[in-house]
Amino acid sequence: MAKVLIAAALLYILWRWLQPKAKPSAAPRLGESEARAILGVDAAAGPEEIRAAHRRLVSALHPDRGGSAELTRRINMARDTLLRG
């Protein structure tokens, strides 16, 4: 009986290991206007102003200071969007 249970457990582990892995979904992209609205900067803002707005928001809304991880993620995405493009 024990051999049957061990064999069943091994087959289950093998079956789970061979299952196709779920692909992570692509991260949603922010548009430039949405990114500027999140950071609170206008269209003429340069890289230094974008970085300053990002620093100000993250220092106030970081999860370690009682903010939300999702909000911090969106602020970081907004900075990356504006500095990349």
Side-chain angles (χ1 to χ4, degrees):
M1 181 68 175
K3 289 180 182 179
V4 172
L5 289 176
I6 292 172
L10 288 175
L11 284 173
Y12 175 75
I13 292 170
L14 181 63
W15 174 75
R16 290 290 296 190
W17 183 67
L18 292 175
Q19 291 298 312
K21 306 294 185 255
K23 294 181 182 176
S25 62
R29 304 288 302 215
L30 289 177
E32 186 174 333
S33 61
E34 185 179 3
R36 289 189 185 284
I38 289 171
L39 293 179
V41 296
D42 60 356
E48 289 305 316
E49 190 176 344
I50 292 169
R51 286 186 187 101
H54 172 264
R55 226 176 285 120
R56 179 178 36 83
L57 288 171
V58 167
S59 67
L61 300 171
H62 194 273
D64 291 345
R65 296 183 180 220
S68 138
E70 176 64 21
L71 189 54
T72 302
R73 184 185 68 80
R74 290 186 57 80
I75 292 169
N76 287 335
M77 281 177 35
R79 177 207 52 203
D80 294 343
T81 298
L82 293 177
L83 292 179
R84 200 177 310 127

